[in-house]
Amino acid sequence: MPERRTVALVTLGCARNEVDSEELAGRLEADGWHLVEDAEEADVAVVNTCGFVEAAKKDSVDALLEANDLKGHGRTQAVVAVGCMAERYGKELAEALPEADGVLGFDDYADISDRLQTILNGGIHASHTPRDRRKLLPISPAERQSAGEEVALPGHGAPSDLPEGVAPVSGPRAPLRRRLDGSPVASVKLASGCDRRCSFCAIPSFRGSFISRRPSDVLNEARWLAEQGVKEIMLVSENNTSYGKDLGDIRLLETLLPELAEIDGVERVRVSYLQPAEMRPGLIDALTSTPNIAPYFDLSFQHSAPDVLRSMRRFGDTDRFLELLDTIRAKAPQAGVRSNFIVGFPGETEADLAELERFLTGARLDAIGVFGYSDEEGTEAATYENKLDEDIVAERLARVSRLAEELVAQRAEERVGETVYVLVESIDDEEGAVGRAAHQAPETDGQVLFTSREGLTVGRIVEAKVVGTEGVDLVAEPLLGSLPCAEEAAR
């Protein structure tokens, strides 16, 4: 009997990439590949790259080079790049990085097993020529669902997409997905692509126009994940507030959330990637009052000075953003809010920066990401003439980052004395017991450090009282004498 082919998936970037990797894993396992955790134990190392900003691209290249170093020293015979950076640059990446034995785009995902086998056998699969994926779907959202059947949409795969006679290893009801870790948290793609045209962002060009997944597919995948022991579902896409617009109902998310929350075994549902300009009263109500739905708002503000926002092709201002936050907190005082911001954008003045600082000071955000502006090729902002000197951008980045660090620490201190419901994510001798409350998303936000691990188990949601802080992190005492029901635990 021939030795089994082995493959390792190395994932960089966001939660959407993690979903894509698990779909690739599902496709490969269904076709007989054996999945391993470490690249050094794999015949083929597949690196799912990120192509968002320069730092992420560098990390992707470093990961590819690190995997390439394994060749000749162990089992690894080939290194293959997939993901956003591979899709965005294609042949250009292949020429610049000959260490990669293959550079595969999204259109290759359906045939990923054959592609890897060809490369493993010493053959060559031509790297794809990048194209503007926004042009692959109709301009009208109403016409996209039928056209979407002919377009590669990573993370939207269904068992019917597998070759005839091939079925998911996890069973006939399983989605086209294979979990790559045992975490009690898993992301589910709600949609792909984006119709917004922010002047600094290249994502729509390589992820395409916005297209929703059907609610039945989202629900089936969430049910399957619950059967795998997942307790928290995180809904991801480039813009969750647009969900349903191509299905004829822009309020479809408000309908879907209660159904997800009622799935047996799911104790918390979290929605990420929300656009402030698209927030509506019904969605705020659904996120703040539906049992098992975390009152969590991952709002993409980016800035608050009106002139900078207009230059970014975005909408809003400091006062409108603060009003939105007041509306949210009037309904759910403990609601979690996070956002990212760009400083040093072309044309940004000292007055603009002061306006951003005014917003940050008044917003009481739980987590803040700050980035210094840099040109992204292919974007409108890259053509702007009123660029700031790099040293000015660096100075503003440091200044706002210091402020952000102080503010999130203050916000954490405000939570001392609160009762929170924490999903226990890890327990070990070195770190103790660690989890996340409803206002904390995986990877991006702070976490909860328990004062004791007695009686705690991974995957359990427990009631706890916040007794201290360590920067953005909370220190909490478990209250195991009165465990909450699942509905209370998600609040």
Side-chain angles (χ1 to χ4, degrees):
M1 183 176 178
E3 189 175 2
R4 294 187 71 180
R5 302 168 297 177
T6 57
V7 59
L9 285 133
V10 179
T11 307
L12 294 94
C14 64
R16 293 162 295 192
N17 255 17
E18 293 172 5
V19 176
D20 294 351
S21 284
E22 293 199 347
E23 181 185 296
L24 289 173
R27 291 180 182 276
L28 289 165
E29 188 174 59
D31 204 37
W33 290 78
H34 178 59
L35 297 160
V36 296
E37 290 187 12
D38 297 327
E40 61 185 7
E41 298 175 2
D43 297 316
V44 183
V46 177
V47 180
N48 192 348
T49 61
C50 178
F52 181 38
V53 295
E54 287 304 319
K57 295 176 200 172
K58 181 181 183 303
D59 288 343
S60 295
V61 171
D62 289 346
L64 287 163
L65 292 174
E66 183 178 343
N68 180 71
D69 288 342
L70 298 174
K71 291 192 294 188
H73 300 284
R75 178 163 185 149
T76 309
Q77 301 175 50
V79 176
V80 175
V82 299
C84 291
M85 188 176 180
E87 172 63 36
R88 184 176 180 183
Y89 295 104
K91 292 181 177 179
E92 182 182 344
L93 176 61
E95 293 171 358
L97 196 69
E99 291 86 352
D101 299 286
V103 175
L104 306 181
F106 297 152
D107 293 333
D108 292 306
Y109 283 20
D111 300 307
I112 186 68
S113 179
D114 289 343
R115 300 288 187 264
L116 296 191
Q117 188 62 59
T118 295
I119 293 168
L120 189 59
N121 292 342
I124 297 175
H125 179 72
S127 301
H128 78 108
T129 301
R131 52 181 172 168
D132 189 339
R133 297 192 73 86
R134 290 172 293 191
K135 298 178 180 178
L136 302 183
L137 291 169
I139 294 176
S140 169
E143 299 175 6
R144 289 180 188 165
Q145 286 295 316
S146 58
E149 297 176 1
E150 307 300 323
V151 175
L153 298 169
H156 290 225
S160 58
D161 296 332
L162 290 170
E164 187 175 350
V166 177
V169 174
S170 301
R173 292 178 51 199
L176 191 50
R177 180 170 182 170
R178 197 269 202 186
R179 297 219 66 203
L180 294 174
D181 62 42
S183 170
V185 184
S187 296
V188 172
K189 272 204 177 178
L190 201 57
S192 286
C194 186
D195 288 342
R196 301 185 71 86
R197 294 295 178 262
C198 301
S199 63
F200 57 84
C201 183
I203 289 177
S205 66
F206 56 85
R207 277 289 184 181
S209 297
F210 184 89
I211 184 166
S212 304
R213 291 183 74 193
R214 294 193 176 277
S216 58
D217 292 338
V218 176
L219 288 165
N220 287 340
E221 188 165 331
R223 291 189 188 102
W224 178 80
L225 287 167
E227 292 171 357
Q228 310 303 305
V230 170
K231 300 300 181 183
E232 178 177 318
I233 298 290
M234 187 165 75
L235 300 177
V236 299
S237 76
E238 277 73 22
N239 178 9
N240 281 331
T241 32
S242 283
Y243 179 69
K245 72 176 186 179
D246 52 321
L247 294 171
D249 185 1
I250 190 59
R251 295 176 178 82
L252 193 55
L253 183 54
E254 289 94 304
T255 303
L256 178 63
L257 286 175
E259 294 186 70
L260 285 165
E262 290 173 359
I263 292 174
D264 187 30
V266 172
E267 298 188 37
R268 179 183 290 161
V269 178
R270 183 183 306 277
V271 183
S272 60
Y273 304 111
L274 300 169
Q275 286 292 338
E278 296 181 35
M279 290 300 295
R280 47 195 180 270
L283 181 55
I284 294 175
D285 287 342
L287 290 170
T288 55
S289 64
T290 307
N292 285 13
I293 302 298
Y296 176 79
F297 293 81
D298 176 10
L299 293 163
S300 177
F301 289 120
Q302 301 298 346
H303 212 284
S304 73
D307 289 345
V308 175
L309 287 168
R310 301 302 175 271
S311 186
M312 288 179 169
R313 304 294 183 197
R314 297 177 67 84
F315 306 95
D317 56 48
T318 295
D319 293 333
R320 274 192 278 182
F321 290 163
L322 291 175
E323 287 174 7
L324 172 60
L325 296 178
D326 286 343
T327 299
I328 290 169
R329 289 179 174 133
K331 295 178 180 293
Q334 289 186 329
V337 187
R338 81 164 325 275
S339 192
N340 292 325
F341 299 88
I342 299 173
V343 297
F345 195 77
E348 180 190 64
T349 64
E350 278 290 340
D352 293 329
L353 193 67
E355 185 69 0
L356 173 59
E357 291 172 325
R358 181 171 80 88
F359 171 70
L360 290 173
T361 302
R364 296 171 53 234
L365 302 178
D366 292 279
I368 300 171
V370 186
F371 302 88
Y373 173 81
S374 62
D375 285 339
E376 274 295 305
E377 57 189 287
T379 64
E380 179 184 353
T383 68
Y384 290 172
E385 296 181 353
N386 50 349
K387 305 268 178 60
L388 303 183
D389 290 341
E390 289 185 6
D391 57 342
I392 294 178
V393 175
E395 186 277 326
R396 292 183 179 183
L397 173 60
R399 168 177 155 186
V400 176
S401 295
R402 285 194 299 270
L403 175 63
E405 186 174 348
E406 294 172 5
L407 292 172
V408 295
Q410 290 174 15
R411 178 63 181 135
E413 290 172 1
E414 290 177 14
R415 293 190 179 274
V416 173
E418 287 186 358
T419 296
V420 292
Y421 297 97
V422 185
L423 174 63
V424 182
E425 289 195 308
S426 66
I427 301 175
D428 61 46
D429 293 334
E430 186 173 332
E431 298 292 334
V434 178
R436 288 178 301 100
H439 70 279
Q440 298 167 319
E443 306 296 336
T444 57
D445 304 338
Q447 55 190 5
V448 174
L449 313 174
F450 287 101
T451 57
S452 169
R453 67 189 203 181
E454 185 176 354
L456 302 182
T457 56
V458 172
R460 183 183 186 185
I461 290 184
V462 300
E463 187 178 17
K465 182 177 181 180
V466 181
V467 296
T469 65
E470 291 186 10
V472 70
D473 296 332
L474 304 181
V475 179
E477 177 184 350
L479 304 175
L480 298 179
S482 57
L483 289 176
C485 67
E487 289 187 1
E488 293 172 337
R491 305 314 308 146

